[in-house]
């Protein structure tokens, strides 16, 4: 079962600025059952697993964008308040995004960007299962996986609208990987 809702508004504040705000809500209810009969090994690898997820994600956001100094400086500030709940786990987060771009000349542009984003584990990563591809390879699902939080800061210099030099800093909490 799945349900999504979104609303978005935007309006000019003055000649060179725009304010936007909105909300989204997503709900999903899923069920999974996996049954494996290991006939070759006398039932040693047999299992019967079932799981379900009841997931809610709500976001409220507001942003301001525009230009200053005869359009030499462009800015974008955006803030998201997020609530996430899946089964018994729930958390909230504030996810800001900011960007400044200054055009010294058409050949010399500087940008500074910061964003905090969140990536949720996929449906299959959160399922409780164990799958053996061969005697050396095992895939295991984990229903306790939590969202990954990315903090990204970048400084970018663009020369001649062709060449870029970028310095980035990444920090990831609750990193998820599979092998």
């Amino acid at each position: 079962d799945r349900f999504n809702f979104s609303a978005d508004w935007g309006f000019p504040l003055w000649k060179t600025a725009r304010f936007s705000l909105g909300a989204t809500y997503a709900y999903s209810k899923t069920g999974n059952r996996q049954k494996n009969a290991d006939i070759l090994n006398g039932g040693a690898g047999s299992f019967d697993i079932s799981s379900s997820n009841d997931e809610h994600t709500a976001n409220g956001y507001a942003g301001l964008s525009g230009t200053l100094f005869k359009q030499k400086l462009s800015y974008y500030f955006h803030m998201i308040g997020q609530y996430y709940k899946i089964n018994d786990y729930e958390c909230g987060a504030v996810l800001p995004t900011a960007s400044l771009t200054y055009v010294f000349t058409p050949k010399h542009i500087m940008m500074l960007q910061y964003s905090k984003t969140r990536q949720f584990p996929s449906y299959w990563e959160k399922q409780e299962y164990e799958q053996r591809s061969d005697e050396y390879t095992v895939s295991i699902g984990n229903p306790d996986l939590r969202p990954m939080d990315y903090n990204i800061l970048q400084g970018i210099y663009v020369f001649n609208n062709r060449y870029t030099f970028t310095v980035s800093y990444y920090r990831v909490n609750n990193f998820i990987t599979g092998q």
Side-chain angles (χ1 to χ4, degrees):
D1 299 332
R2 180 175 288 269
F3 172 77
N4 291 303
F5 166 80
S6 64
D8 192 38
W9 300 276
F11 52 89
L13 283 180
W14 52 87
K15 196 173 188 178
T16 61
R18 182 165 180 80
F19 182 74
S20 60
L21 66 135
T24 64
Y25 174 75
Y27 168 77
S28 68
K29 183 175 181 109
T30 56
N32 182 39
R33 182 170 182 198
Q34 184 178 19
K35 185 174 186 174
N36 184 44
D38 186 359
I39 299 168
L40 295 175
N41 296 315
S46 296
F47 59 86
D48 188 356
I49 299 172
S50 64
S51 63
S52 64
N53 288 321
D54 193 29
E55 185 176 30
H56 304 264
T57 306
N59 293 310
Y61 52 90
L64 180 65
S65 61
T67 60
L68 297 169
F69 309 119
K70 298 181 183 177
Q71 297 186 342
K72 287 203 167 272
L73 177 67
S74 299
Y75 60 89
Y76 175 82
F77 302 106
H78 193 88
M79 188 74 69
I80 299 173
Q82 183 178 79
Y83 171 76
Y84 176 72
K85 181 178 189 305
I86 185 165
N87 299 333
D88 294 335
Y89 173 77
E90 62 184 304
C91 67
V94 176
L95 307 170
T97 299
S99 175
L100 292 172
T101 302
Y102 192 82
V103 179
F104 293 96
T105 69
K107 290 187 175 189
H108 301 280
I109 302 169
M110 292 288 297
M111 295 185 274
L112 182 62
Q113 301 172 336
Y114 170 78
S115 65
K116 181 175 181 178
T117 60
R118 184 168 263 200
Q119 181 178 340
F120 296 94
S122 73
Y123 171 80
W124 290 110
E125 290 171 319
K126 292 191 66 61
Q127 298 310 302
E128 189 174 330
Y129 74 92
E130 181 176 318
Q131 178 182 351
R132 297 185 182 276
S133 303
D134 55 45
E135 52 275 345
Y136 302 107
T137 308
V138 178
S139 295
I140 300 172
N142 184 353
D144 296 325
L145 289 176
R146 302 297 179 236
M148 290 185 288
D149 288 332
Y150 289 86
N151 287 283
I152 303 167
L153 178 63
Q154 291 185 317
I156 302 166
Y157 170 68
V158 180
F159 174 69
N160 208 21
N161 285 326
R162 181 180 287 174
Y163 306 102
T164 61
F165 176 72
T166 304
V167 177
S168 301
Y169 171 78
Y170 288 79
R171 181 178 175 181
V172 181
N173 296 327
N174 299 325
F175 187 71
I176 299 170
T177 187
Q179 294 181 331

